[in-house]
Amino acid sequence: MTDCQGDVEGASTPMELYEKLSEQGVKVRSLKSAKADKTKVDTAVQLLLKLKMDYKQMTGHDYKAGCPPSENDAAPNNGPAADVAGEDDTVDPWTVSTTNAKGVDYDKLIVVRFGSSKIDQELVDRIEKVCGQKPHRFLRRGVFFSHRDMHQVLDAYEKHKSFYLYTGRGPSSEAMHVGHLIPFIFTKWLQDVFDIPLVIQLTDDEKYLWKDLTVEECHRFAIENAKDIIACGFDINKTFIFSDLDYMGSSPEFYRNVVKIQKHVTFNQVKGIFGFTDSDCIGKISFPAIQAAPSFSNSFPHVFGSRKDIQCLIPCAIDQDPYFRMTRDVAPRIGYPKPALLHSTFFPALQGAQTKMSASDANSSIFLTDTPKQIKNKINKHAFSGGKDTVEEHRKYGGNADVDVSFMYLTFFLEDDEQLEKIRQDYTSGALLTGELKKILIETLQPMIAQHQERRKQVTDDLVKQFMTPRPLNFNL
Amino acid sequence: MTDCQGDVEGASTPMELYEKLSEQGVKVRSLKSAKADKTKVDTAVQLLLKLKMDYKQMTGHDYKAGCPPSENDAAPNNGPAADVAGEDDTVDPWTVSTTNAKGVDYDKLIVVRFGSSKIDQELVDRIEKVCGQKPHRFLRRGVFFSHRDMHQVLDAYEKHKSFYLYTGRGPSSEAMHVGHLIPFIFTKWLQDVFDIPLVIQLTDDEKYLWKDLTVEECHRFAIENAKDIIACGFDINKTFIFSDLDYMGSSPEFYRNVVKIQKHVTFNQVKGIFGFTDSDCIGKISFPAIQAAPSFSNSFPHVFGSRKDIQCLIPCAIDQDPYFRMTRDVAPRIGYPKPALLHSTFFPALQGAQTKMSASDANSSIFLTDTPKQIKNKINKHAFSGGKDTVEEHRKYGGNADVDVSFMYLTFFLEDDEQLEKIRQDYTSGALLTGELKKILIETLQPMIAQHQERRKQVTDDLVKQFMTPRPLNFNL
């Protein structure tokens, strides 16, 4: 997928970009002919490739040395993403990257790009008041950092007008890593404290359309992932999990909503939002409607009957927001309420906060299938450290917790706020060494993963089938 | 819908078309200010509108007097249709028009545009031999005039490898006219003589996407149209009728085929085939996959189990061919056999062969709900005549059966070949007057429509439900 953020680093016209590209081409050739240092050449080549991708995205065709762009090569990205060209971060449903070691600049992302609202202390306090429970650590620590219409959801809830939760996952492989659990851990908490129904979409059709996989493989991954999701402890009486490949063909009401959405979104719009091009298959182009449809309660008649007015709240990672901006745009035009959202930050790769974890790189992540030994080795070997090079220097200058991946992971998984704060202070002062910090993380993750594996073992095929059978759920709306 | 045939009457550049348009605008204004004859003004205005549509199609934006097109206004149609720009006929799933009173030039259509094969006498004879029945009058008279792979279907059938039939209808209103019956009358004959199963798709989702109708209206039209289709006499043990809005949400196997097709067709391709633009909704863009899916036998597991190798034969009007050219292109890439096709000509409007009948103009057609009196009045009043202006002239010079709509209708509905030929000769010689010819047509259609209405009355809601329930069918493959 091309990204949708028009990330062209300051070049605002095809001609400017063409000139930049030509310059970079010359630079690469001169570095190569001078037999320059491999890293230098690699960096220059990477920038060249990036510029070429940007060029193709902007003009719709490949860069050709000696062939400057014509007047026809207008930037095709005229959707909501176009006005943020030049930012350092790239965030869309298929690409998350940043050049900043602390990770994506979320405040900027919220305000400049997405137009969502920050989850501030006031909102966290209000959630605590309304649900009567201590806010989840993801709220206390800004892992869920942005929202849309959460106050409205709480206003209604206070007046005894309830809502339902919708989250999901794209099952691109059997293997899930700890980062994939973030929305599910948080969604389970929301389900528990608000006592509300939940639908979980497994977009196996999406993965078939985007990846070099068969329909059967994607469907199998959906079932395998469902087991890990069920192992998070969802209430079977309040949770419906579905594979698109199954549910689309089992619910005329769901398909009707898909068609309604598809009628109200043009190719121009999805081009602007998702960066689709004319070479993309028609399945990708129409898919966003399928991710949008669960936002409307009458997509689940076995749960909500024909009611179309029940508010939906979607906890998801911020990269999924484009789908739901589109959904919120369409909702009033087809007579449905806009879904509310809670956005999480990304879970960093072991190698650092510049990228999201990847299920395809075994060493970038702690997988839910890893043994205690693998967890230990991966963290010791691959977790990017904010510590100093020698013990002496570390003791003297202290470590940088802000870029330290082990510390970041602890903010996700260590429940005790005071302990976490003490670790931060000790690491920053130099009292705590990198090896000691890693040991705390290892001892946090090993039992957590082991317990997950234990719970997953208990998930029988029959239980999966129960969770995935369209049926009434227990709740009071 | 814009049409896909680049019907720009000789203008090959936006500038040429712009100049033509400007001229025509001047002409219309001068005719109007001269208070010219209404027919003359109307004709000039119609050409102006047509040129405007062509201009929009070629440049992507509206014609504006005084604003000549810029260099950016290249023709967006670069698909298979582009090479036939300049032809007089326009044929695609949403537009059928010609400037020739005899109707569309079908031989040209076959050879130049569609690359299909003519149904020649040899093929008609072979069908007779294989099925052991006299060929249907639609075959004898060239109503079904073009095919793809029909010899292959017959080769296999002779070796006891059977096939199934697939046809359909877009339910855009309750009212069907006699022209809509053509594919069904012929399909019923094929079902009877080959003794094979049949699936009939009602594309209510398509009509929702294209028309200003609600989902509920389109679905209701599908059910009403199913009654007229059932009244054609299909064998309930061998026929499955389905509404897309229902069946897509009832068959995971059907949806899987839709997604497979959608993965293998790009926006560029549907743009070329159907003339879609960036302003079209994503539902239209992905719809062709839904019309393609019934061409593959495993879309109907209740009928064919998991078999994906059963050959499909699609009898349809020629304007539906673009869908199936696309389907045949995709089929081998997803491991399925290409569907074979039998194409019919269009059924002319009462006013003449220049256009297809329209369900939205009550006087353009004989509707299946018309009373004997309405049939008589419509034919006497509106059926375009190839006769001479006075009885004397007619007796002297004879009539022109080739452009006479009453005679054309008789070629569709009068079974007796000898009688038809005698009518032609008498009309051409002048022995038969226009009023007498119309009387023969009236007396042919009145009992035919009355019998249809009688059969339709027998179609209960329960019978519709039976036809539309996914279930096994009786046949030997």
Side-chain angles (χ1 to χ4, degrees):
Chain A
M1 267 309 302
T2 58
D3 66 76
C4 74
Q5 302 302 336
D7 191 356
V8 292
E9 303 197 332
S12 61
T13 69
M15 188 50 85
E16 275 174 49
L17 196 53
Y18 173 81
E19 284 167 0
K20 244 185 159 155
L21 251 166
S22 306
E23 270 173 43
Q24 191 64 18
V26 172
K27 190 173 168 187
V28 166
R29 278 191 294 281
S30 67
L31 281 169
K32 280 184 174 172
S33 64
K35 294 198 191 327
D37 181 71
K38 191 178 173 305
T39 331
K40 268 193 183 168
V41 177
D42 284 352
T43 311
V45 168
Q46 268 174 28
L47 178 56
L48 184 68
L49 291 175
K50 184 169 181 325
L51 288 169
K52 281 186 177 173
M53 277 173 60
D54 292 341
Y55 186 83
K56 178 147 192 190
Q57 192 194 343
M58 192 185 258
T59 65
H61 55 75
D62 288 325
Y63 164 80
K64 250 190 178 171
C67 298
S70 74
E71 286 298 305
N72 293 351
D73 296 327
N77 261 357
N78 49 6
D83 55 354
V84 295
E87 297 287 326
D88 294 333
D89 302 335
T90 295
V91 177
D92 67 43
W94 306 279
T95 318
V96 180
S97 71
T98 179
T99 51
N100 186 331
K102 290 187 198 173
V104 173
D105 182 338
Y106 289 107
D107 277 355
K108 220 187 212 174
L109 209 61
I110 294 178
V111 180
V112 180
R113 291 199 184 176
F114 290 178
S116 59
S117 308
K118 197 178 156 88
I119 297 182
D120 53 18
Q121 193 55 46
E122 191 200 329
L123 178 55
V124 175
D125 292 344
R126 190 170 175 212
I127 291 171
E128 177 167 13
K129 203 185 129 218
V130 173
C131 75
Q133 303 273 337
K134 182 179 176 185
H136 192 272
R137 63 178 183 274
F138 291 168
L139 281 174
R140 304 197 303 269
R141 298 179 193 158
V143 170
F144 277 79
F145 70 104
S146 154
H147 77 99
R148 295 184 191 275
D149 289 346
M150 189 59 197
H151 280 291
Q152 194 182 300
V153 169
L154 296 172
D155 288 346
Y157 190 82
E158 284 181 323
K159 290 176 191 145
H160 308 288
K161 234 189 119 188
S162 199
F163 59 98
Y164 74 101
L165 296 165
Y166 157 38
T167 191
R169 157 153 182 80
S172 51
S173 83
E174 255 176 85
M176 285 173 67
H177 57 63
V178 286
H180 290 137
L181 291 185
I182 306 298
F184 295 108
I185 291 170
F186 189 60
T187 300
K188 177 184 157 31
W189 181 81
L190 289 169
Q191 178 178 60
D192 290 346
V193 301
F194 287 103
D195 186 26
I196 44 177
L198 159 66
V199 297
I200 299 176
Q201 179 181 49
L202 302 170
T203 56
D204 41 8
D205 50 354
E206 178 206 7
K207 290 305 161 192
Y208 169 72
L209 290 165
W210 261 266
K211 306 267 174 185
D212 189 19
L213 294 167
T214 66
V215 161
E216 291 70 27
E217 284 167 333
C218 294
H219 187 257
R220 192 170 59 77
F221 294 157
I223 304 297
E224 289 306 312
N225 288 183
K227 292 181 187 166
D228 280 300
I229 292 166
I230 292 167
C232 292
F234 291 104
D235 182 345
I236 192 162
N237 296 311
K238 298 195 179 74
T239 307
F240 172 51
I241 304 177
F242 63 99
S243 126
D244 284 346
L245 288 169
D246 287 339
Y247 191 58
M248 182 78 128
S250 322
S251 170
E253 292 81 3
F254 187 73
Y255 178 55
R256 282 172 196 219
N257 275 343
V258 168
V259 178
K260 280 185 190 180
I261 299 158
Q262 287 180 341
K263 183 172 179 170
H264 292 85
V265 177
T266 67
F267 181 61
N268 261 326
Q269 287 172 291
V270 292
K271 201 159 91 168
I273 300 170
F274 303 103
F276 293 141
T277 73
D278 289 13
S279 310
D280 279 311
C281 72
I282 59 175
K284 287 186 184 180
I285 290 168
S286 58
F287 172 75
I290 296 170
Q291 185 156 333
S295 312
F296 306 126
S297 56
N298 62 351
S299 290
F300 306 97
H302 50 281
V303 181
F304 304 111
S306 61
R307 283 190 64 179
K308 57 179 192 175
D309 63 333
I310 302 169
Q311 170 83 56
C312 175
L313 173 65
I314 306 170
C316 65
I318 187 75
D319 58 340
Q320 298 301 305
D321 188 66
Y323 283 115
F324 301 116
R325 270 180 287 167
M326 184 198 87
T327 308
R328 288 168 54 89
D329 181 54
V330 171
R333 290 188 288 138
I334 56 178
Y336 296 151
K338 292 182 178 187
L341 286 137
L342 291 170
H343 300 122
S344 73
T345 62
F346 303 116
F347 192 75
L350 280 173
Q351 284 75 9
Q354 280 89 341
T355 56
K356 199 164 70 159
M357 271 190 168
S358 154
S360 50
D361 175 2
N363 284 324
S364 78
S365 324
I366 305 296
F367 283 84
L368 299 180
T369 47
D370 283 348
T371 62
K373 206 177 153 189
Q374 283 174 314
I375 294 170
K376 188 180 163 191
N377 286 344
K378 277 190 193 177
I379 291 171
N380 282 332
K381 228 172 156 176
H382 298 290
F384 181 80
S385 167
K388 295 292 175 292
D389 286 347
T390 64
V391 175
E392 292 68 36
E393 278 186 64
H394 190 85
R395 292 280 186 222
K396 193 169 167 190
Y397 303 109
N400 181 356
D402 287 345
V403 301
D404 191 286
V405 171
S406 300
F407 184 78
M408 289 182 199
Y409 277 30
L410 285 174
T411 64
F412 283 92
F413 297 114
L414 192 71
E415 177 57 29
D416 189 322
D417 292 340
E418 281 175 31
Q419 194 190 345
L420 185 71
E421 182 50 29
K422 187 165 187 323
I423 291 167
R424 170 196 284 279
Q425 286 173 6
D426 288 352
Y427 193 63
T428 309
S429 73
L432 192 72
L433 295 176
T434 293
E436 292 164 337
L437 174 63
K438 287 190 170 187
K439 192 158 174 275
I440 299 171
L441 176 63
I442 291 162
E443 286 169 358
T444 304
L445 286 184
Q446 279 175 337
M448 185 186 112
I449 301 289
Q451 282 156 23
H452 179 89
Q453 290 166 357
E454 199 41 55
R455 285 193 306 267
R456 192 186 195 280
K457 257 191 222 153
Q458 313 297 326
V459 178
T460 60
D461 288 346
D462 188 56
L463 190 63
V464 174
K465 214 175 156 182
Q466 284 181 52
F467 266 101
M468 297 185 76
T469 299
R471 65 201 191 286
L473 300 179
N474 290 347
F475 61 92
N476 303 309
L477 283 187
Chain B
M1 266 308 303
T2 58
D3 66 76
C4 75
Q5 302 302 335
D7 190 358
V8 291
E9 303 198 329
S12 61
T13 68
M15 189 49 85
E16 275 175 48
L17 197 51
Y18 173 80
E19 284 165 1
K20 244 185 159 156
L21 251 166
S22 305
E23 269 172 43
Q24 191 64 21
V26 171
K27 191 172 168 187
V28 166
R29 278 191 296 279
S30 66
L31 281 169
K32 278 184 176 172
S33 62
K35 296 199 189 321
D37 180 73
K38 190 179 175 305
T39 332
K40 267 193 183 170
V41 177
D42 284 353
T43 312
V45 168
Q46 268 173 28
L47 178 56
L48 183 69
L49 291 175
K50 185 171 179 324
L51 288 168
K52 281 186 177 173
M53 277 175 60
D54 292 342
Y55 186 83
K56 178 146 194 192
Q57 191 194 345
M58 192 185 256
T59 64
H61 54 76
D62 289 326
Y63 165 79
K64 250 190 177 169
C67 298
S70 74
E71 284 300 305
N72 292 353
D73 296 329
N77 261 355
N78 49 7
D83 55 354
V84 293
E87 296 286 328
D88 294 333
D89 302 335
T90 295
V91 177
D92 67 42
W94 306 279
T95 318
V96 180
S97 71
T98 178
T99 51
N100 186 331
K102 289 187 196 173
V104 173
D105 182 338
Y106 289 108
D107 277 356
K108 219 189 213 173
L109 209 63
I110 294 178
V111 180
V112 179
R113 294 198 183 177
F114 289 177
S116 59
S117 308
K118 197 178 155 86
I119 298 182
D120 52 17
Q121 194 53 46
E122 191 201 330
L123 179 55
V124 175
D125 292 345
R126 194 172 171 210
I127 291 172
E128 177 166 13
K129 203 186 126 215
V130 174
C131 74
Q133 304 272 338
K134 181 179 176 184
H136 192 273
R137 63 179 184 274
F138 291 168
L139 282 174
R140 303 197 305 268
R141 298 178 192 159
V143 170
F144 277 80
F145 70 104
S146 155
H147 77 99
R148 296 181 189 276
D149 290 346
M150 189 59 198
H151 279 292
Q152 194 183 300
V153 169
L154 295 172
D155 287 347
Y157 191 81
E158 283 181 324
K159 289 174 191 145
H160 308 289
K161 232 189 119 189
S162 200
F163 59 99
Y164 74 101
L165 296 165
Y166 157 37
T167 191
R169 156 154 183 80
S172 51
S173 83
E174 257 176 84
M176 285 174 68
H177 56 63
V178 287
H180 291 137
L181 291 184
I182 307 297
F184 296 108
I185 291 170
F186 189 60
T187 301
K188 175 180 160 33
W189 181 81
L190 290 169
Q191 178 178 60
D192 288 346
V193 301
F194 287 103
D195 187 26
I196 43 177
L198 159 66
V199 297
I200 298 175
Q201 180 182 48
L202 301 171
T203 55
D204 42 8
D205 50 355
E206 177 206 7
K207 291 305 161 192
Y208 170 71
L209 290 166
W210 261 267
K211 305 267 175 184
D212 188 19
L213 295 167
T214 65
V215 161
E216 291 70 27
E217 284 167 334
C218 294
H219 187 258
R220 193 170 59 79
F221 294 158
I223 304 297
E224 289 306 312
N225 287 183
K227 292 182 187 166
D228 281 301
I229 293 167
I230 292 167
C232 292
F234 292 103
D235 182 345
I236 193 162
N237 296 310
K238 299 195 179 74
T239 307
F240 172 51
I241 304 176
F242 63 100
S243 126
D244 284 347
L245 288 169
D246 286 340
Y247 191 57
M248 182 77 129
S250 323
S251 171
E253 292 81 3
F254 187 73
Y255 179 55
R256 281 171 196 219
N257 276 343
V258 168
V259 177
K260 281 185 188 179
I261 299 158
Q262 287 180 340
K263 184 172 179 169
H264 292 85
V265 177
T266 66
F267 180 63
N268 261 327
Q269 288 172 291
V270 291
K271 200 160 91 167
I273 299 170
F274 303 102
F276 294 142
T277 72
D278 288 14
S279 310
D280 278 312
C281 74
I282 59 176
K284 287 186 183 179
I285 291 168
S286 59
F287 173 76
I290 296 171
Q291 185 156 333
S295 311
F296 306 126
S297 57
N298 61 352
S299 290
F300 305 97
H302 50 281
V303 182
F304 304 111
S306 62
R307 284 189 64 180
K308 57 179 192 174
D309 63 333
I310 303 170
Q311 170 82 58
C312 175
L313 173 64
I314 306 170
C316 65
I318 188 75
D319 59 339
Q320 298 301 303
D321 189 66
Y323 284 115
F324 301 115
R325 271 181 286 167
M326 184 199 89
T327 308
R328 287 169 54 90
D329 181 55
V330 171
R333 292 188 286 138
I334 56 176
Y336 296 150
K338 291 181 180 186
L341 285 136
L342 292 171
H343 300 122
S344 72
T345 62
F346 303 116
F347 191 76
L350 279 174
Q351 284 74 9
Q354 279 90 340
T355 56
K356 200 164 69 160
M357 269 191 170
S358 153
S360 50
D361 175 1
N363 284 325
S364 78
S365 325
I366 305 296
F367 283 83
L368 299 179
T369 48
D370 282 349
T371 61
K373 204 177 156 189
Q374 282 174 314
I375 295 171
K376 187 180 164 192
N377 286 344
K378 277 191 193 177
I379 292 171
N380 282 333
K381 225 172 159 177
H382 298 290
F384 182 80
S385 167
K388 295 293 174 293
D389 287 347
T390 64
V391 174
E392 293 67 37
E393 278 186 65
H394 191 83
R395 292 280 187 220
K396 192 169 168 190
Y397 302 108
N400 182 354
D402 286 346
V403 301
D404 190 287
V405 170
S406 300
F407 184 78
M408 289 182 198
Y409 277 29
L410 285 172
T411 64
F412 284 91
F413 297 114
L414 191 71
E415 177 58 28
D416 189 321
D417 291 341
E418 280 175 32
Q419 195 191 346
L420 186 70
E421 182 51 29
K422 188 166 185 317
I423 292 168
R424 170 195 284 279
Q425 286 173 6
D426 289 351
Y427 193 62
T428 310
S429 73
L432 193 71
L433 296 176
T434 294
E436 293 164 335
L437 174 63
K438 287 191 169 187
K439 191 159 175 275
I440 300 171
L441 177 63
I442 291 163
E443 286 169 358
T444 304
L445 286 184
Q446 278 175 338
M448 187 187 112
I449 301 290
Q451 282 156 26
H452 179 88
Q453 289 167 357
E454 198 43 53
R455 285 194 307 267
R456 193 186 194 279
K457 257 191 224 156
Q458 312 297 324
V459 179
T460 59
D461 289 346
D462 188 57
L463 189 64
V464 175
K465 212 175 160 184
Q466 283 181 54
F467 267 100
M468 298 186 74
T469 299
R471 65 203 190 284
L473 300 179
N474 289 347
F475 60 92
N476 303 309
L477 284 187

